């Protein structure tokens, strides 16, 4: 019943221009659906289920699901056709955060203002929680009976390629780790981000377009939009790591610099990075001009990310 | 060309009764297909691709793929309809071995006679290699154009449930880790194995039956057969850990006992465990009696596993 009313509020407001309101309503919708999809903490094996819920319900902004829903709405998809795939993207994103935070990877103790999964539980449980989340993501799309089976297999292929190797998120994380010990140039840094964070953001947008069967030109425009949006997202993240406090960020700032990580500010300096931010934002908005019909919501999302820099 | 000749050798010998010959020809077929599916070591990011290939081509017996192919053949599926899903099962199995061997999990240095993935490479690379293999498994089924899309989504759902929580392989590994610090009884031990190793073996057999569209009764009989086969497999594994040498095993024997792991021999003693082995083997063969038509190959596989005890 609660879900139904959220779905209908989105249906009745198909082009929400207030992006904060849109993001908040997506978040409520996604959180309720994730709660249904994930086993309860009371169910055995309890420790791994608790760990999964600790990380999935850690106050994430649900940006990837919201992007998928925004693109889907833009091309006229009913919201209940978008919900499960949107959740699948969030499950993949959460598994990647859990694994990236592990001691042998980025070794982070704090995420969104609280203990990371392996700190709150233990390393083995964190690895298993991530593994289970990945399986659940693909299960969720495979079992989405609102969508035709031939669409479901296309979505699974899209999400799997965006998650794995050689072009997806795992490849990006591997490149990022390889790059820690040496100097990378701007092109390499873009390649890393294109895969590490860009691939999943692109997949979210592309799935949003595939569900309402957008045509090839529209899919291409959305891909260009999302590629720039991903870069915008990463560059603001890099800037926040330099300029924000632990309180602003909910995680330890300055880590990138201490780890001698390749970042845009480290490579170009803060001012040039801010200029790059604007040009990427312009590119994202230009891509939308190739789409017929109303794209105000997608424009507002690009503006919103630009403004999140502190 | 090489593949075609193997496929046709299986086609021309649809009920191979010599199980060793059958397993060897499956292995060649599967290894060739896995080689096509997995990015080359020369492709970037090289380190993670090398790690994936190190673990996938480590001399595994390809038991799960062979079981899938054997069941599929029994119900008349063309071998080229079985190959990709069979590979997907092996990709999932390999990812689980890589993650289970990690220091925070079972902490194994040796597997199939050589260094485990995190020892040969490093922990971060091993975690990423496992993560990429899981994505590739689902991608492989999703993109298998030999199969109708509605069959592909059923197979993905089956494999995802068998891999994850609350009933799959990850749940089994979590229960196993939880059980390390306390005494478990026989029922708990069966629950652990039912999920940890049983779920994927069952999924392999069930996918093999689903591809040629076996009916409900047949699927139920195959599920019973595979449940007992999984138990047979696990009990022989437990026995080998007690009785074999490092040379026989290609990994460190006696680890279970030292880790005070719950095993069948630890719980019941070696003689009672051998008796249990025989009763599980009988149950596997009895399940096959409910299937009309020739089940000689499946019977031989059960016999073969029984005999692998040293």
């Amino acid at each position: 019943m609660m879900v139904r009313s959220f779905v209908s509020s989105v249906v009745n407001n198909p082009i929400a221009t207030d992006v904060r309101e849109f993001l908040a309503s997506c978040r409520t919708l996604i959180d309720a659906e994730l709660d249904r999809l994930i086993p309860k903490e009371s169910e055995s094996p309890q420790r791994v289920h608790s760990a999964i819920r600790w990380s999935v319900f850690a106050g994430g902004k649900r940006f990837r699901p919201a992007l998928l829903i925004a693109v889907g709405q833009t091309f006229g998809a009913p919201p209940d056709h978008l919900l499960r795939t949107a959740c699948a993207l969030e499950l993949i994103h959460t598994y990647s955060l859990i694994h990236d935070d592990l001691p042998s990877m980025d070794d982070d103790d704090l995420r969104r203002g609280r203990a990371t999964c392996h700190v709150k539980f233990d390393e083995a449980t964190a690895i298993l929680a991530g593994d289970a989340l990945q399986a659940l993501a693909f299960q969720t799309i495979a079992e989405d009976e609102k969508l035709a089976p031939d669409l479901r297999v296309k979505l699974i292929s899209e999400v799997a390629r965006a998650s794995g190797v050689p072009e997806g998120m795992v490849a990006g994380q591997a490149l990022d780790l390889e790059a820690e010990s040496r100097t990378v140039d701007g092109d390499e840094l873009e390649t890393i981000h294109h895969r590490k964070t860009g691939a999943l953001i692109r997949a979210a947008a592309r799935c949003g377009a595939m569900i309402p069967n957008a045509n090839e030109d529209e899919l291409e425009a959305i891909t260009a939009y999302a590629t720039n949006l991903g870069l915008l997202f990463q560059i603001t993240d890099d800037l926040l790591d330099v300029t924000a406090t632990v309180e602003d960020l909910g995680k330890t700032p300055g880590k990138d610099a201490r780890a001698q990580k390749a970042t845009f500010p480290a490579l170009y300096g803060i001012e040039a990075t801010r200029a790059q931010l604007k040009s990427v934002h312009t590119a994202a908005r230009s891509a939308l001009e190739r789409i017929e019909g109303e794209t105000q919501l997608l424009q507002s999302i690009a503006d919103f990310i630009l403004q999140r820099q502190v």
Side-chain angles (χ1 to χ4, degrees), chain A residues 90-127:
Chain A
E90 189 67 14
L91 296 171
I92 295 277
H93 174 58
T94 307
Y95 115 64
S96 78
L97 297 182
I98 297 174
H99 283 189
D100 285 359
D101 285 339
L102 286 166
S104 63
M105 302 262 237
D106 298 345
D107 194 15
D108 269 309
D109 292 348
L110 207 58
R111 156 95 52 197
R112 290 166 186 159
R114 55 186 206 158
T116 48
C117 193
H118 67 276
V119 169
K120 175 74 180 174
F121 297 88
D122 55 78
E123 273 187 65
T125 303
I127 293 167

Side-chain angles (χ1 to χ4, degrees), chain A residues 184-191 193 231 235 238-239 262-277:
Chain A
V184 301
D185 62 22
D187 285 349
E188 279 182 284
L189 186 61
E190 276 205 31
T191 302
H193 290 318
L231 218 41
I235 300 172
D238 281 2
L239 276 172
T263 67
F264 290 96
L267 210 58
Y268 301 114
I270 291 183
E271 282 321 303
T273 301
R274 285 200 170 126
Q276 199 185 0
L277 207 58

Side-chain angles (χ1 to χ4, degrees), chain A residues 124-176:
Chain A
T125 303
I127 293 167
L128 292 173
D131 289 345
L133 282 167
Q134 181 169 188
L136 186 59
F138 293 111
Q139 182 189 328
T140 298
I141 305 177
E143 296 178 0
D144 184 356
E145 294 190 352
K146 304 265 184 205
L147 308 180
D150 64 334
L151 174 57
R152 284 183 245 169
V153 298
K154 279 184 204 149
L155 296 169
I156 291 166
S157 160
E158 180 77 27
V159 176
R161 285 178 177 269
S163 305
V165 290
E167 300 280 340
M169 180 181 75
V170 168
Q173 176 69 0
L175 287 176
D176 199 18

